[in-house]
Amino acid sequence: MATPKVPAADHTLRILSLLAASRGPLPATMIAAQLGIPRSTVYHLLSTLQEHDFVMHLPEEKRYGLGLAAVALSSAYERQEPLARIGRPLIAALVDRVRMSGHLAVPHGRDVLYVIEERAPGAPPLITDVDVRLPMHLTASGRAVLAALPKAQARALFPDQRAFVHRHESGDGIDRYSRLRAVLDETVTRGFALERGSVTSGLTSVGVPVLDHRGWPVAAIAVTFPDERVPEDRLPELAAEVRGAAEVLSTRIYGRRTAK
């Protein structure tokens, strides 16, 4: 490999690439060893990246992971190509099958950003339009993404109570991480994310993550419907439809194999 003309820039990009390719946060010593960069240089670069929110430090674990600024860059790409282009016909087909409004959203810091919104005929009006951002912990899409993240990564996104916002009093009362963790654990056990009235009173949403080739959540697909539309025992059947669309989208973009 040719000697880089700007070693600091080369080291920085290699660190970010390694963190992006890893399943979870890494210790600085491991980053230095894997990349062959002096440990002192790695610590200096990580400190600078942390100041600009491209890296987050998890002090309890003495590890570093991607920060909100890096997530925002990823989301900017995802909402342009290829997710939106490939996902639009899949969301339209899903809406035709289930006769409910469907959406595709990508993580954007502690929010989700809606990149596709397909309204079902006669469906109630929604606020989840294209380019609308909503708090991740309140939406089915956001909960689907958070539940698929390593617990340390999800915890780092919500360091204190100031990270939690609410739309109205009838939400799920998630005002601290312990309550969010309970919702996410239920999501993992259930196999899909569920939101009832946290965004809009009287409406329920079911969401499933879109995973990349490493199993990392890069987006989520959800459908929204009036509370009384689907009985509790029919929710898994509806979630299976949403999951099928998410798996097809993941396969078409990242070459993942759907489960058999």
Side-chain angles (χ1 to χ4, degrees):
M1 180 182 297
T3 302
K5 294 182 180 180
V6 187
D10 179 74
H11 293 338
T12 300
L13 293 174
R14 290 173 64 204
I15 289 173
L16 289 174
S17 296
L18 177 62
L19 291 176
S22 300
R23 187 66 181 87
L26 299 174
T29 52
M30 181 179 296
I31 295 173
Q34 290 196 25
L35 297 180
I37 301 174
R39 189 180 304 179
S40 60
T41 300
V42 168
Y43 277 110
H44 286 310
L45 292 175
L46 287 172
S47 178
T48 300
L49 287 168
Q50 187 178 354
E51 289 176 7
H52 293 276
D53 291 331
F54 280 92
V55 160
M56 64 171 62
H57 183 218
L58 308 177
E60 295 83 1
E61 301 184 24
K62 298 181 180 180
R63 292 170 180 259
Y64 293 83
L66 291 180
L68 298 182
V71 173
L73 283 180
S74 173
S75 297
Y77 168 76
E78 300 293 2
R79 69 175 177 263
Q80 295 173 39
E81 298 289 349
L83 276 178
R85 183 181 295 273
I86 299 177
R88 188 164 287 106
L90 293 175
I91 300 298
L94 173 64
V95 170
D96 285 342
R97 289 196 304 273
V98 301
R99 314 306 289 176
M100 302 170 186
S101 295
H103 354 271
L104 176 68
V106 295
H108 193 279
R110 282 192 288 267
D111 297 336
V112 285
L113 175 69
Y114 290 86
V115 296
I116 296 176
E117 178 74 14
E118 188 76 22
R119 303 291 171 87
L126 304 174
I127 65 169
T128 52
D129 209 343
V130 173
D131 289 334
V132 167
R133 287 171 53 177
L134 289 176
M136 185 178 288
H137 66 285
L138 295 183
T139 67
S141 298
R143 293 174 186 179
V145 169
L146 289 171
L149 286 174
K151 290 185 177 181
Q153 200 84 3
R155 182 69 179 90
L157 286 170
F158 297 89
D160 52 46
Q161 285 186 274
R162 291 173 297 178
F164 296 92
V165 297
H166 305 277
R167 286 186 49 79
H168 48 70
E169 294 300 323
S170 62
D172 289 336
I174 301 176
D175 58 359
R176 65 197 67 181
Y177 183 74
S178 59
R179 293 183 177 177
L180 174 61
R181 187 68 254 167
V183 170
L184 299 182
D185 289 344
E186 288 176 4
T187 298
V188 172
T189 300
R190 188 191 302 115
F192 59 90
L194 181 64
E195 172 267 310
R196 294 187 183 277
S198 295
V199 176
T200 302
S201 296
L203 296 181
T204 294
S205 294
V206 167
V208 173
V210 176
L211 306 177
D212 68 7
H213 59 287
R214 305 159 299 167
W216 193 266
V218 295
I221 294 177
V223 293
T224 299
F225 48 92
D227 292 344
E228 68 280 2
R229 173 80 181 275
V230 181
E232 191 76 22
D233 61 350
R234 297 294 300 277
L235 289 175
E237 180 181 338
L238 176 60
E241 289 280 357
V242 181
R243 185 177 300 107
E247 290 179 346
V248 171
L249 179 56
S250 179
T251 301
R252 291 184 181 179
I253 296 173
Y254 302 108
R256 296 178 71 252
R257 294 182 179 179
T258 56
K260 295 184 179 180

